[in-house]
Amino acid sequence: MITTFPSLAATATPEVVLGYRDRGWTVAETTNGLCLITDARIGAVEFVDNVAEGVERYLRANALSGPCLEIPGRSRRHIHLVVGIDRAPGAVATLHAAGAVVHTQGATLALPPTRLSTGSVRWLLSPEQAPWVPPVVTLAAAVRATRDGCADVERRTSATA
């Protein structure tokens, strides 16, 4: 699936583009802005609203967070970069069942500093802040924990410490 985003302007500097490419990411500069093109090495999982919040809380509490994009709009849209999508069909099924969108094999994702009609794409957690990209099974575990009522792990962790 190819995802396109309406863009008002793209203001990526050559340094930004090179920084993304130095990570091994396929990045395209288009009239819609700057895009990550998913492939066998890197994919993404998109969550909205409460699911996004629960997943973020779980990942943070367990020190498992990786790079995450925030797409502006009415609903909270978080897109987590992941690896290993092609090796974890069970994890992908869990994510789909939770309403997540899995971006892989040629899907394009707007990268900062792309400006959309709803605002600027930004890093919720940048690659510099989270230098590792978690496997997709990590996000499936976060969804299972959230679904099973364990989303408030921060409170539980502090209560047992």
Side-chain angles (χ1 to χ4, degrees):
M1 164 172 48
I2 300 215
T3 306
T4 58
F5 298 94
S7 177
L8 296 176
T11 57
T13 64
E15 294 80 22
V16 170
V17 175
L18 285 175
Y20 291 147
R21 289 184 178 151
D22 284 347
R23 296 180 183 287
W25 301 350
T26 303
V27 177
E29 295 177 79
T30 70
T31 56
N32 285 342
L34 193 60
C35 294
L36 169 69
I37 302 172
T38 61
D39 55 28
R41 293 171 303 193
I42 189 126
V45 179
E46 180 175 344
F47 299 102
V48 296
D49 297 328
N50 292 339
V51 176
E53 184 179 328
V55 166
E56 286 300 320
R57 197 174 312 138
Y58 176 88
L59 294 173
R60 209 174 27 251
N62 291 288
L64 296 170
S65 299
C68 181
L69 294 160
E70 184 173 53
I71 307 299
R74 286 187 184 150
S75 61
R76 176 182 299 155
R77 288 177 57 205
H78 292 174
I79 301 177
H80 296 264
L81 301 187
V82 295
V83 296
I85 289 176
D86 57 336
R87 295 184 305 271
V92 171
T94 296
L95 294 166
H96 283 150
V101 177
V102 178
H103 301 277
T104 188
Q105 298 301 328
T108 59
L109 303 167
L111 289 171
T114 300
R115 279 192 41 83
L116 308 175
S117 61
T118 55
S120 294
V121 174
R122 71 178 190 94
W123 287 109
L124 187 64
L125 194 59
S126 74
E128 291 77 25
Q129 295 169 306
W132 88 303
V133 177
V136 70
V137 295
T138 301
L139 274 75
V143 164
R144 282 191 299 276
T146 300
R147 181 186 60 215
D148 294 341
C150 301
D152 200 4
V153 290
E154 287 175 343
R155 188 178 58 166
R156 281 190 311 128
T157 302
S158 64
T160 59

